[in-house]
């Protein structure tokens, strides 16, 4: 996977600063100043590995861009940039398909670390041979990084896939939020544990027959989650 990052930010001075520092870190940058332009740039560059999206934009905002990217089949990483600090706004971003968020004002060092961590996550493919895990109606192909339920492919983001992989490699074992953060986001991640809960919620919507009464990803009260299938 190419080290290509989409940076969507309508404030040119902020965008230039972010672009400069990510270029110094070795990334190829695709820039956009509006949501509409970002979607055009993605259509021209479908090999983007990480998208950094500002939320507050005129016209199509960052949430809508994220939704549109996921609808186009984009499965790699998304980081939201937001000046909002309300918990509901963070959850909204994650539920639209984002993998992480950074609150303004932010340091370029922190943003660079988040981009690095997410890039490592989405570009990692350590399996050389075919490797299949079957649990209940689910089949996880580790080489193809594909999940099927009852023979039907489920479209997952890389983070969602990583969570499901962690569960299916630890069937019947309770995993704490810290365990999942380490296994999926990596030990370099410096964000909040809340991101685990939101991604679990999003994953349940995709794989559970009834997300309100989950059968496969069950909550271990006061600890974390466990896979039962």
């Amino acid at each position: 996977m190419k080290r290509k990052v989409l940076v969507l930010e309508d404030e040119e001075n902020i965008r230039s600063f972010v672009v400069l520092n990510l270029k110094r870190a070795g990334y190829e940058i695709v820039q956009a100043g509006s949501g509409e332009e970002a979607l055009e740039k993605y259509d021209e560059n479908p090999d983007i590995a990480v998208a950094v999206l500002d939320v507050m934009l005129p016209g199509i905002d960052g949430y809508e861009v994220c939704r549109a990217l996921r609808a186009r089949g984009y499965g790699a990483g998304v980081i939201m940039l937001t000046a909002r600090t309300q918990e509901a706004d963070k959850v909204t971003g994650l539920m639209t398909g984002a993998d992480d968020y950074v609150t303004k004002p932010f340091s370029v060092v922190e943003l660079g670390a988040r981009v690095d961590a997410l890039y490592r996550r989405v570009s990692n493919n350590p399996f050389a041979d075919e490797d299949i895990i079957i649990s209940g109606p689910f089949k996880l192909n580790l080489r193809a990084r594909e999940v099927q339920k009852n023979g039907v492919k489920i479209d997952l983001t890389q983070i969602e896939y990583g969570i499901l992989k962690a569960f299916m490699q630890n069937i019947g074992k309770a995993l704490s939020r810290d365990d999942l953060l380490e296994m999926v986001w990596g030990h370099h991640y410096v964000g909040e544990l809340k991101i685990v809960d939101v991604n679990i919620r999003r994953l349940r919507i995709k794989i559970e027959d009834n997300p309100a009464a989950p059968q496969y990803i069950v909550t271990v009260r006061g600890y974390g989650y466990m896979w039962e299938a």
Side-chain angles (χ1 to χ4, degrees):
M1 179 178 288
K2 290 186 178 180
R3 290 172 59 85
K4 189 178 289 188
V5 176
L6 169 65
V7 176
L8 167 58
E9 169 61 65
D10 65 326
E11 295 186 38
E12 188 173 353
N13 60 331
I14 296 177
R15 185 173 73 248
S16 298
F17 193 47
V18 170
V19 167
L20 176 63
N21 282 274
L22 289 178
K23 281 184 175 179
R24 286 175 175 170
Y27 290 101
E28 178 182 347
I29 306 300
V30 177
Q31 300 184 49
S34 69
E36 293 84 353
E37 185 183 10
L39 294 176
E40 291 175 3
K41 291 293 182 70
Y42 169 71
D43 290 337
E44 297 168 1
N45 299 271
D47 56 345
I48 287 169
V50 176
V52 179
L53 310 177
D54 185 27
V55 170
M56 298 298 291
L57 298 168
I60 301 176
D61 67 15
Y63 295 144
E64 289 302 319
V65 172
C66 186
R67 290 190 188 98
L69 289 176
R70 294 308 190 199
R72 280 166 159 80
Y74 176 69
V78 175
I79 298 174
M80 307 298 287
L81 297 180
T82 176
R84 301 177 177 181
T85 57
Q86 294 295 321
E87 189 71 18
D89 292 322
K90 297 176 182 179
V91 172
T92 297
L94 294 171
M95 288 303 293
T96 60
D99 301 297
D100 199 0
Y101 57 83
V102 175
T103 303
K104 295 180 179 180
F106 57 86
S107 74
V108 290
V109 173
E110 178 190 5
L111 179 59
R114 299 291 185 92
V115 171
D116 287 342
L118 191 52
Y119 175 79
R120 283 194 298 269
R121 180 67 246 167
V122 301
S123 64
N124 183 35
N125 188 11
F127 302 97
D129 301 310
E130 188 76 9
D131 203 345
I132 302 291
I133 300 175
I134 296 176
S135 179
F138 297 93
K139 181 168 75 170
L140 180 72
N141 185 320
L142 293 170
R143 184 176 182 183
R145 300 178 72 82
E146 180 180 287
V147 178
Q148 295 181 0
K149 180 181 180 182
N150 295 319
V152 179
K153 182 182 176 181
I154 303 173
D155 290 325
L156 301 176
T157 68
Q158 293 296 328
I159 292 295
E160 291 164 353
Y161 168 84
I163 293 172
L164 192 56
K165 173 186 163 189
F167 281 129
M168 291 183 67
Q169 289 182 323
N170 293 275
I171 297 171
K173 177 182 177 181
L175 299 177
S176 70
R177 291 169 179 82
D178 284 318
D179 290 334
L180 290 166
L181 206 62
E182 171 76 18
M183 297 166 75
V184 179
W185 281 265
H187 66 276
H188 296 288
Y189 182 75
V190 293
E192 303 173 23
L193 284 175
K194 183 68 176 177
I195 196 171
V196 175
D197 298 317
V198 176
N199 277 277
I200 292 289
R201 178 181 166 194
R202 203 169 69 193
L203 183 57
R204 280 171 168 167
I205 291 172
K206 293 187 176 183
I207 72 168
E208 297 281 358
D209 298 327
N210 180 6
Q215 176 183 353
Y216 307 110
I217 302 177
V218 299
T219 300
V220 180
R221 191 172 301 278
Y223 186 74
Y225 303 93
M226 183 169 63
W227 179 261
E228 291 186 351

